[in-house]
């Protein structure tokens, strides 16, 4: 088929009629499909059911250093759990704090603490006239929601295949003391699936921000979340780079087991310098006596070590890979040669990111919704939900089954075609 | 024995010699006793081991409304868990939010949220020149640590057997808009074991603070933590009283299962009005996707209903009661008639609160520490660790075994006698 832009008005109208008939056929099916969030599917959840067996009433719940995990105490997490997650994200256990079930919460808390009590003795951000934040786009909507909640002004930073625009970041942070942080998903980024290049990581580690309390929020959400055995992205470990660069305190690195074990019942962790850990623990010991150590122990006993996690991730990949490929193939089949959209083919993570060539993302998402396919709201990948090009659509293929995914992808492609023609006919 | 205050100087000196010999004998034992915190003992922890069995790999982890507890979602907690904790603290499930493992954290978060984002649209407290807080004393050190961390000025409120001084509270809150809250442990209070009278609860419910964003932080930590079957304190349910009084939004009520199931791995909850819940959820949905639902389900499946919790609490009481009575008896035996100290005989909770008649609490605690008995630091029950009378010592009898407790209580009594004489001889 020829690109729509090469068609004449009456050809477009004829095509539109065909497409609308197809659309009506879907409408008649009363579908209820959901591709909004990066939610693991049931088969993935089943991979961790063994975790429900490793602890039982005849198992000793004492951790390695002799502490009874059932009782109060052990503020930063049990040693063997720090080691397990440390191995996973390539950080010594001394640099790890284990939290509750949500790394998002850990990030929220870091911003919140900085607002009320500053960073390593700096002025609390709530006492400043203005606090700004850098946001590589497209990015993770829940990150942007946190900074928005605290009234922090967000600045878009363009991304390319190597990561965010480092020239722009270096320039901005070096002269503006009100810029206090940046959101990064450095590996298999949400939604683009981009992994930051070595050069980008090194430039991050060497940043010299004017604000001494500037922190890189390094959300390593997909550190081991590969889709392929043979085609994996590599990310340079940033804490070590920062140390080498004489910049050890500039980064907070976050991780969790949410998409490794159970999404709601995993464990989250923060990795950072000793000085940051000391600073954070001053707050931590005020706010809690400790996080759920039984669940920490459960994870350690189930996974045993990094190899246990890697094995688990291979099983996740076997379930996810066909889903990603199905969506990619349907989009390819349906949209080939039409010049209507481009999309990513990530090597890991949870999303396919699609960009329409015309500014029609929100009408495409609406059109899908009207016949029972829910997609992440258009604009979600941008601060304040404002996609300057109204172009980005995030596709989350993990939860639906293959049949649902096939139909969903067809509906998405169909809606892109319809809305493109409607736009061209305007 | 006669009261020390009636003894002559040389009689006191002679008595001191005898006591110091006894003290040296303890010293030779190289003891390591700890009565610092309200930590359940191993026998208590063992009561909940069945909780490790109720979920296993052949159990369906779907909750009542069909939601898969393993996955993301369900922000405010699963329905059956809200019901269980609601029944426990006499509040409808609609008024409950389930959190993670620590009610202390929930309180911390409430203050933190109010600092950064205000209460139901009020000015964020961090934007105010001054924020003050009422602190019934003696009280819970970790409460005071939270308000201190946020730079909130704390005002001591005296307590008697009915609860805090309501005249003083009513007067203060009615005229000072900078007073934003009050810490309360209304049942079996920490450390005094006091339960607020009906009149006190009703006066709390009818408070008319000048600050519209004033909240009563009602830490119902010991709601079902009775020591006796037949001699239980009764606390009027405050949410309902507030509603009746046309003051529905004035209270945040906190609870947790920390001293019911496992202290580090329980579930915490907040109970409050619908309007407050709506306000809090605006923050909650920014900070997390949800708390650990598998653990919520685990608690529901283990306890089943309120009767399950009550049965469990009877078993806790059977372990704790002899410990409390032992301490009370040793103190009675050792200090009878000497007029050196008074102490509580609570019907529930986790502490015995002792007040020395002379201002010697810190030297008593130091003296105990020097021969291997660790007590909560003197002054801990007061804001800024300042006990105006240097008199209060908090005794936590739950963790040590009976032999240890007997020795610890004797050492405590001995140290009180020694320090009293040293004070009188000054």
């Amino acid at each position: 088929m020829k690109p729509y832009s090469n068609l004449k008005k009456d050809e477009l109208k004829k095509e539109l009629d065909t497409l609308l008939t197809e659309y009506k056929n879907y409408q008649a099916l009363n579908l209820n499909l959901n591709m909004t969030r990066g939610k693991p599917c049931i088969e993935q959840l089943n991979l961790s059911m063994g975790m429900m067996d490793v602890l039982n009433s005849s198992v000793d719940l004492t951790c390695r250093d002799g502490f009874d995990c059932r009782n109060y105490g052990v503020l930063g997490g049990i040693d063997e759990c720090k080691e397990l997650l440390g191995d996973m994200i390539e950080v010594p256990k001394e640099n790890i704090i284990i939290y509750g079930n949500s790394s998002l919460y850990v990030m929220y808390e870091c911003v919140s603490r900085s607002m009320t009590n500053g960073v390593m003795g700096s002025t609390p951000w709530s006492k400043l006239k203005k606090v700004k934040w850098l946001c590589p786009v497209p990015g993770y909507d829940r990150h942007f929601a946190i900074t928005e909640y605290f009234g922090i002004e967000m600045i878009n930073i363009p991304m390319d295949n190597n990561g965010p625009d480092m020239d722009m970041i270096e320039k901005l942070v070096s002269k503006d003391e009100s810029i206090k942080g940046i959101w990064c998903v450095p590996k298999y980024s949400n939604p683009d699936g981009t992994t930051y290049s070595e050069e980008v990581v090194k430039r991050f580690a060497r940043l010299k921000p004017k604000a001494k309390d500037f922190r890189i929020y390094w959300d390593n959400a997909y550190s081991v979340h590969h889709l392929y055995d043979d085609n994996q992205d590599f990310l340079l470990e940033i804490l070590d780079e920062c140390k080498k660069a004489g910049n050890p305190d500039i980064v907070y690195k976050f991780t969790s087991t949410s998409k490794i074990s159970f999404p709601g019942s995993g464990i989250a962790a923060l990795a950072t310098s000793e000085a940051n850990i000391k600073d954070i623990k001053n707050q931590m010991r005020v706010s809690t006596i400790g996080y759920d150590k039984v669940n920490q122990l459960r994870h350690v006993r189930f996974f045993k070590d990094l190899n246990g996690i890697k094995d688990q991730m291979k099983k996740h990949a076997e379930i996810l890979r066909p889903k990603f490929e199905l969506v990619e193939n349907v989009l390819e089949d349906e949209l080939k040669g039409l010049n209507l959209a481009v999309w990513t083919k990530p090597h890991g993570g949870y999303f396919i990111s699609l960009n329409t060539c015309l500014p029609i993302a929100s009408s495409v998402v609406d059109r899908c919704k009207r016949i029972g396919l829910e997609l992440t709201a258009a604009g979600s990948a941008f601060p304040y939900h404002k996609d300057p090009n109204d172009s980005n659509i995030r596709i989350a293929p993990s939860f639906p089954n293959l049949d649902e995914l096939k139909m969903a992808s067809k509906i998405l492609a169909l809606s892109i075609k319809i809305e493109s023609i409607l736009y061209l006919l305007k």
Side-chain angles (χ1 to χ4, degrees), chain A:
Chain A
M1 184 120 195
K2 280 195 287 184
Y4 281 3
S5 49
N6 296 353
L7 295 185
K8 289 179 199 142
K9 217 163 186 178
D10 59 328
E11 289 174 307
L12 282 175
K13 280 184 178 166
K14 205 181 143 199
E15 173 74 1
L16 182 61
D17 284 343
T18 318
L19 296 169
L20 286 174
T21 308
E22 204 181 329
Y23 184 81
K24 271 187 189 156
N25 292 340
Y26 281 117
Q27 201 157 24
L29 299 175
N30 282 316
L31 297 168
N32 183 12
L33 302 167
N34 194 312
M35 291 208 294
T36 55
R37 309 290 331 172
K39 245 176 111 164
C41 64
I42 291 168
E43 292 74 18
Q44 289 180 270
L45 300 176
N46 288 343
L47 297 175
S48 300
M49 281 308 280
M51 210 167 62
M52 294 290 96
D53 296 329
V54 288
L55 303 186
N56 61 56
S57 60
S58 40
V59 167
D60 184 1
L61 301 182
T62 305
C63 62
R64 181 156 91 179
D65 62 3
F67 205 93
D68 189 334
C69 288
R70 302 170 300 177
N71 221 328
Y72 285 119
V74 192
L75 191 64
I78 64 173
D79 211 53
E80 51 264 62
C81 190
K82 289 194 219 173
E83 197 170 278
L84 178 70
L85 293 199
D87 286 350
M88 184 174 96
I89 58 167
E90 304 167 283
V91 169
K93 65 177 165 31
E94 289 69 26
N95 293 92
I96 298 258
I97 295 176
I98 307 286
Y99 283 82
N101 72 326
S102 163
S103 60
L104 189 73
Y105 200 95
V106 184
M107 297 175 227
Y108 172 90
E109 190 188 88
C110 283
V111 180
S112 182
R113 180 183 57 245
S114 308
M115 291 297 292
T116 59
N117 290 64
V119 179
M120 286 170 70
S122 77
T123 305
W125 297 351
S126 62
K127 302 287 182 206
L128 303 174
K129 274 193 187 139
K130 180 68 107 179
V131 177
K132 297 180 197 159
W133 206 271
L134 305 183
C135 301
V137 288
Y140 180 30
D141 56 344
R142 293 190 189 269
H143 284 165
F144 306 151
I146 290 175
T147 25
E148 186 172 2
Y149 179 77
F150 289 109
I152 294 172
E153 184 184 316
M154 294 180 275
I155 301 166
N156 289 6
I157 305 288
M159 293 265 293
D160 66 18
N161 289 340
N162 293 308
D165 181 337
M166 292 310 296
D167 290 339
M168 187 173 172
I169 292 171
E170 285 164 352
K171 201 172 154 192
L172 284 167
V173 303
S174 68
K175 61 179 188 186
D176 188 346
E177 203 177 347
S178 68
I179 298 176
K180 300 297 188 188
I182 181 168
W183 291 120
C184 295
V185 184
K187 193 166 182 180
Y188 302 136
S189 73
N190 176 352
D192 273 354
T194 302
T195 298
Y196 294 7
S197 72
E198 282 205 26
E199 194 209 325
V200 163
V201 177
K202 286 186 172 168
R203 287 175 75 177
F204 264 117
R206 279 160 186 68
L207 271 188
K208 294 289 174 209
K210 192 158 185 207
K212 294 301 155 226
D213 50 357
F214 174 94
R215 292 291 178 274
I216 302 163
Y217 280 55
W218 197 255
D219 183 2
N220 206 8
Y222 308 109
S223 57
V224 289
H225 301 58
H226 309 287
L227 285 170
Y228 299 91
D229 264 2
D230 51 349
N231 210 347
Q232 303 187 344
D233 290 0
F234 169 80
L235 174 70
L236 201 60
E237 200 293 298
I238 192 166
L239 250 73
D240 195 43
E241 287 304 312
C242 292
K243 209 171 172 178
K244 284 190 216 158
N247 218 0
D249 303 327
I250 202 172
V251 68
Y252 293 153
K253 181 171 168 178
F254 305 93
T255 193
S256 84
T257 66
S258 292
K259 290 178 180 97
I260 300 173
S261 61
F262 294 145
S265 307
I267 42 180
L270 169 65
T272 191
S273 69
E274 284 83 354
N276 280 326
I277 284 186
K278 197 180 155 200
D279 182 46
I280 292 167
K281 281 204 169 165
N282 285 338
Q283 172 243 334
M284 212 174 172
R285 73 172 55 87
V286 169
S287 66
T288 186
I289 306 171
Y291 287 92
D292 185 344
K293 296 181 297 299
V294 170
N295 204 32
Q296 292 171 26
L297 194 67
R298 185 179 286 119
H299 278 74
V300 173
R301 298 267 169 97
F302 180 61
F303 288 115
K304 293 185 181 71
D305 56 24
L306 181 57
N307 284 327
I309 291 181
K310 284 184 175 169
D311 287 348
Q312 175 87 341
M313 296 319 291
K314 277 185 192 169
K315 294 176 195 161
H316 279 291
E318 279 159 27
I319 297 167
L320 288 173
R321 196 169 49 241
K323 297 190 174 190
F324 276 75
E325 290 178 349
L326 175 74
V327 174
E328 289 158 14
N329 291 338
V330 172
L331 292 175
E332 183 70 22
D333 288 350
E334 299 291 327
L335 298 175
K336 190 171 53 187
L338 298 180
N339 283 3
L340 297 182
V342 290
W343 57 91
T344 59
K345 294 180 181 176
H347 299 154
Y350 263 68
F351 303 102
I352 292 168
S353 180
L354 178 145
N355 284 297
T356 58
C357 298
L358 297 166
I360 54 166
S362 30
S363 39
V364 168
V365 170
D366 285 349
R367 177 165 292 278
C368 289
K369 193 174 184 173
R370 288 200 299 277
I371 53 168
L373 167 60
E374 191 100 37
L375 293 162
T376 313
S380 290
F382 295 80
Y384 313 108
H385 296 269
K386 281 183 196 153
D387 177 355
N389 303 318
D390 192 18
S391 152
N392 187 254
I393 295 174
R394 187 180 79 165
I395 304 169
S398 54
F399 193 75
N401 64 35
L402 289 170
D403 286 342
E404 291 167 336
L405 263 187
K406 192 172 186 178
M407 195 172 286
S409 309
K410 284 188 171 183
I411 291 171
L412 173 60
L414 175 65
S415 300
I416 291 169
K417 288 193 260 189
I418 294 173
E419 291 300 330
S420 296
I421 294 181
L422 289 173
Y423 186 88
L424 291 169
L425 288 175
K426 264 201 288 202

